[in-house]
Amino acid sequence: MPRIAIIGAGITGVTSAYALSKLGYDVTVYDRQRYPAMETSYANGGQLSASNAEVWNSAATVIKGLRWLGRHNAPLLLNPRPSWHKYSWLAQFMGQIRNYRQNTISTTRMAIEAREHLYAMAVEEGIDFDLQRRGILHIYHDAASFETARRANALLREGGLERHAVTPEEIRGIEPTLQTPCHGGFYTPSDATGDIHKFTSGLAQACLRRGVRFEQDADIRAISRDGLPYVLDVAREDGARREQHEASAIVVCAGAASRQFARQLGDRLNIYPVKGYSISVHLDDAASQAAAPTVSLLDEAAKIVTSRLGDRFRVAGTAEFNGFNLDIRAERIQPLVDWTRRHFPGVRTARVVPWCGLRPMMPDMMPRVGPGKRPGVFYNTGHGHLGWTLSAATAQMLAASVREAVALP
């Protein structure tokens, strides 16, 4: 029986393990954290959003980024300190502007397919993850941004998404708790929200029931590529103890760390870690629960998204190009708190839990799914800001790629 090692127990690693186990493969998942979903899959914005499938490779995004330079509270922040990785990534990002249209349409189609797979997994395994299928409402505060969004909306609709413009009056009808004025919006009734950590943890339990093994607190320091089987050098207890594990095939689902594993395996994977922040506002009283929205929002001007996750209100946003930096900076958290207070003044912000994570982004904003150069090496990584949204579809793509190359007895 081929033994498949999956590196990473986040949303892409666990969905990959689940898909491969259903095909009958012997799967082991390795992760440096003690439990699954403890890094980028811990506290994201919560949106399962085909409506957010527009890739960032556009002239409009570049212009906005230049305008935001120097603003410490801007939605996008670039640390100007020289870094070959960062500036080579940005150069490739600019080169992908020509593929903006086709990549946006492709991502939309993938996102629509993904949610059906994800819902099916949740139903089959009985996973409760605070799912809300109330749609996602994008709001715009001026005519110019609304018209720009109308052009992008045409691409999303070409990708098969049902998404339509709404008036300020219709916005108030969709989400009555939103009191601040808007010029207009776009509403996607088929989108949803849910807690990525709860789902990933629940699916990991389902994987265990199916015979998948999880090696947690397992820091992979090196991978031998001197022929099959591959040998993983696994460090335990901060390196005090080392183990050697063999695998017939390797699937890299390691988020922003995937680049270093790809290099060891002879592949070039130009993933950059783009930091995002979130706050979880605990709705500890009835008044706050009534004042918090139940429909998921995206404020285009602030680049902030929201999700209602049971008795918590998740508010997330910002993109920070600052390398592998996981410092939670007060000046990046405060705009999320201020935004909540401004738009939903009835929500108490006395108990707010901040978080940050590193989105693994490819320059073309498309996930890397499929085989590497060497036999038995595969990737399912680089999902950027849409890991939660796309993971259930890319897991199916990954499983099909492995099935073609790694025969079962």
Side-chain angles (χ1 to χ4, degrees):
M1 171 72 71
R3 182 170 178 273
I4 298 178
I6 295 178
I7 303 176
I11 184 64
T12 57
V14 174
T15 51
S16 296
Y18 183 78
L20 289 170
S21 70
K22 292 196 76 173
L23 291 178
Y25 287 100
D26 179 6
V27 178
T28 302
V29 181
Y30 294 83
D31 195 273
R32 62 189 177 186
Q33 299 296 339
R34 180 153 295 186
Y35 311 104
M38 293 304 294
E39 295 194 26
T40 306
S41 297
Y42 187 76
N44 71 352
Q47 291 188 332
L48 293 160
S49 53
S51 60
N52 204 19
E54 180 188 7
V55 299
W56 297 1
N57 310 81
S58 69
T61 299
V62 173
I63 292 169
K64 285 181 182 178
L66 292 173
R67 289 173 179 167
W68 287 331
L69 286 176
R71 279 180 47 194
H72 73 278
N73 61 347
L76 186 149
L77 190 67
L78 174 69
N79 184 336
R81 184 180 297 122
S83 160
W84 171 252
H85 183 199
K86 177 168 54 187
Y87 286 108
S88 65
W89 187 96
L90 288 170
Q92 290 185 32
F93 174 90
M94 297 282 287
Q96 288 293 327
I97 290 176
R98 64 184 182 277
N99 296 320
Y100 159 79
R101 182 181 184 280
Q102 68 186 57
N103 286 348
T104 294
I105 293 171
S106 295
T107 305
T108 304
R109 291 171 178 160
M110 198 186 313
I112 293 170
E113 176 191 349
R115 59 192 179 199
E116 300 310 316
H117 290 298
L118 187 140
Y119 297 155
M121 292 177 191
V123 170
E124 184 171 353
E125 303 299 341
I127 303 171
D128 177 10
F129 61 105
D130 294 325
L131 175 65
Q132 290 281 356
R133 299 177 67 169
R134 296 174 179 265
I136 293 179
L137 176 63
H138 288 217
I139 59 174
Y140 303 86
H141 299 286
D142 60 84
S145 61
F146 182 73
E147 287 307 312
T148 299
R150 191 186 297 278
R151 292 191 290 272
N153 189 59
L155 298 182
L156 300 179
R157 291 180 66 88
E158 189 172 341
L161 187 65
E162 177 198 348
R163 186 172 185 257
H164 56 270
V166 288
T167 65
E169 293 74 22
E170 289 170 324
I171 288 173
R172 283 191 289 272
I174 294 168
E175 184 44 73
T177 64
L178 180 63
Q179 300 299 317
T180 47
C182 301
H183 174 82
F186 283 92
Y187 180 54
T188 311
S190 58
D191 273 348
T193 58
D195 188 319
I196 187 174
H197 180 72
K198 282 188 175 182
F199 178 87
T200 309
S201 299
L203 193 64
Q205 290 299 313
C207 287
L208 284 169
R209 294 193 295 269
R210 291 180 173 273
V212 174
R213 291 178 295 278
F214 282 78
E215 295 283 351
Q216 303 287 157
D217 283 326
D219 187 5
I220 297 176
R221 298 291 178 86
I223 304 172
S224 168
R225 51 176 184 161
D226 299 327
L228 294 174
Y230 292 99
V231 179
L232 284 65
D233 178 17
V234 180
R236 307 278 193 177
E237 302 165 9
D238 293 327
R241 181 163 57 90
R242 304 293 274 269
E243 300 172 354
Q244 305 294 307
H245 292 224
E246 293 186 350
S248 310
I250 294 174
V251 180
V252 177
C253 303
S258 298
R259 179 172 177 258
Q260 71 187 51
F261 290 114
R263 187 185 299 118
Q264 293 181 47
L265 293 165
D267 292 305
R268 185 175 185 276
L269 205 62
N270 195 12
I271 287 177
Y272 193 83
V274 180
K275 187 195 290 188
Y277 292 85
S278 78
I279 58 173
S280 295
V281 183
H282 287 257
L283 307 173
D284 292 326
D285 57 85
S288 292
Q289 293 171 16
T294 57
V295 173
S296 179
L297 305 173
L298 189 151
D299 184 332
E300 178 63 29
K303 299 296 184 185
I304 284 175
V305 305
T306 74
S307 296
R308 181 69 174 268
L309 304 173
D311 61 358
R312 295 161 297 148
F313 181 43
R314 179 71 50 77
V315 183
T318 78
E320 186 174 307
F321 289 76
N322 195 22
F324 286 87
N325 180 299
L326 283 169
D327 295 340
I328 297 178
R329 301 168 54 193
E331 66 266 29
R332 303 297 279 165
I333 293 297
Q334 193 60 46
L336 302 178
V337 177
D338 292 343
W339 186 93
T340 303
R341 291 170 174 169
R342 182 167 63 254
H343 293 282
F344 301 98
V347 173
R348 292 185 74 243
T349 53
R351 192 156 69 104
V352 171
V353 179
W355 173 86
C356 73
L358 302 176
R359 308 178 185 99
M361 286 194 171
M362 295 288 289
D364 61 358
M365 307 296 291
M366 302 293 288
R368 171 71 184 276
V369 186
K373 293 177 181 177
R374 297 179 61 83
V377 174
F378 302 88
Y379 297 92
N380 183 14
T381 188
H383 295 63
H385 67 300
L386 292 176
W388 182 210
T389 296
L390 300 179
S391 58
T394 60
Q396 301 302 315
M397 295 162 58
L398 180 278
S401 180
V402 171
R403 184 171 51 189
E404 288 182 6
V406 181
L408 285 164

